[in-house]
Amino acid sequence: MKLLVRHQTIYRYEAAAGRVAMRLKLMPVDTPSQKVLDWQVSVNGEPLTGFRPNSYGEMEAIWVRHDRTDNAVIVAEGLVETQESHGVLGWLGCPVNPRYFLRDTRLTQASPEIRAMALALPDEDGPLARLHALSTAVSDAVAYRAGVTSADTTAAEAFALGAGVCQDHAQVFIAGARAMGIPARYVSGYLLADEGDVLHETHGWAEALVPELGWVGFDPSNRVCVTERYLRLACGLDADEAAPIRGSVTVAGDIWIDADVRIAQAEDGVEERQLQRQQQQGAQTTTQG
């Protein structure tokens, strides 16, 4: 499956901001389940070329502007071919020891209740079956409900509330897996929604390490292992570390953030034309913004 993506994020500053610095994890890399055919990132209409591999073997860049500015328009767009792997990604060539992903963070610290849920799951059928059971248990315990949590909500808080969004599901899953002694990490990326559903934001899920398979992607929000409809951007210990954009501003009033993600399946033979049209639309939007 070929996926066309256009992800635009606009930061508007009440007062002209100075010394804006952003860390961008918006450049997907090739994996056994995806091949990047064309991809570019721009900031305020200027292509960003300073992407370098980080410690996870993924690409990231720092964008810094020292003079004052009223806004920053960040656009990531391109074409990626994905393969159905039923969630199995293998070892991915990450130079970090997998045991690093047993490390807790404030967002993924398991509460006694999460730990009890995870350790109560049967393990006689092996770690893969146990992780599937964990994904189902998280979905059952935390209902999908938008607007009740925030980016700062911890796994323990979402589990106690019994509600949340994809970030909460993934972080509760990660907390449970680590309580079992299984390395797990957060993944940010994109999801081509089913026909009739519309997603205008990035998606988050989890990966856990299964000894005989390597890393396997689980999406408790949709009760599936990841499929060819998923496009992987970046991973981290939690949602904050895997976030596509993180930044700081030295001087500013209020900040407004407007993000929009458009993702579609490209048909054979027309993907280049669609990509050109997408890029032209992006250029027009940037000019108007």
Side-chain angles (χ1 to χ4, degrees), residues 18-227:
R19 295 183 182 178
V20 180
M22 294 185 182
R23 185 201 66 187
L24 305 178
K25 293 185 175 182
L26 286 166
M27 183 68 71
V29 298
D30 291 350
T31 73
S33 63
Q34 68 184 34
K35 180 180 180 182
V36 182
L37 303 177
D38 184 276
W39 197 271
Q40 52 276 316
V41 178
S42 64
V43 181
N44 290 343
E46 296 292 330
L48 189 61
T49 59
F51 282 88
R52 299 288 184 272
N54 61 20
S55 58
Y56 299 152
E58 300 168 346
M59 304 298 284
E60 66 178 65
I62 303 295
W63 180 79
V64 179
R65 179 160 174 166
H66 295 289
D67 58 338
R68 293 187 176 276
T69 184
D70 295 325
N71 61 63
V73 181
I74 303 165
V75 177
E77 58 188 341
L79 180 68
V80 176
E81 184 172 18
T82 60
Q83 303 290 334
E84 178 59 75
S85 65
H86 305 286
V88 179
L89 284 88
W91 298 95
L92 293 182
C94 177
V96 174
N97 189 316
R99 294 187 62 80
Y100 174 77
F101 295 101
L102 287 169
R103 180 178 297 184
D104 288 328
T105 68
R106 186 186 66 85
L107 292 174
T108 59
Q109 178 73 47
S111 63
E113 292 77 14
I114 293 176
R115 184 178 299 276
M117 172 197 68
L119 296 182
L121 296 170
D123 63 355
E124 58 267 24
D125 294 325
L128 181 61
R130 201 178 188 196
L131 287 165
H132 278 295
L134 175 63
S135 183
T136 299
V138 172
S139 300
D140 291 342
V142 182
Y144 188 93
R145 194 183 310 160
V148 299
T149 57
S150 71
D152 203 42
T153 301
T154 68
E157 291 169 341
F159 191 78
L161 181 63
V165 294
C166 62
Q167 171 177 315
D168 305 298
H169 287 138
Q171 291 189 146
V172 173
F173 176 93
I174 291 166
R178 290 175 183 165
M180 297 174 178
I182 298 175
R185 60 194 184 189
Y186 191 97
V187 178
S188 61
Y190 306 107
L191 169 61
L192 175 64
D194 292 332
E195 187 174 354
D197 295 335
V198 179
L199 294 178
H200 291 298
E201 57 188 17
T202 56
H203 191 55
W205 59 93
E207 289 174 356
L209 191 64
V210 179
E212 64 272 26
L213 295 175
W215 292 100
V216 179
F218 293 86
D219 181 4
S221 287
N222 291 295
R223 295 176 179 262
V224 296
C225 281
V226 300
T227 70

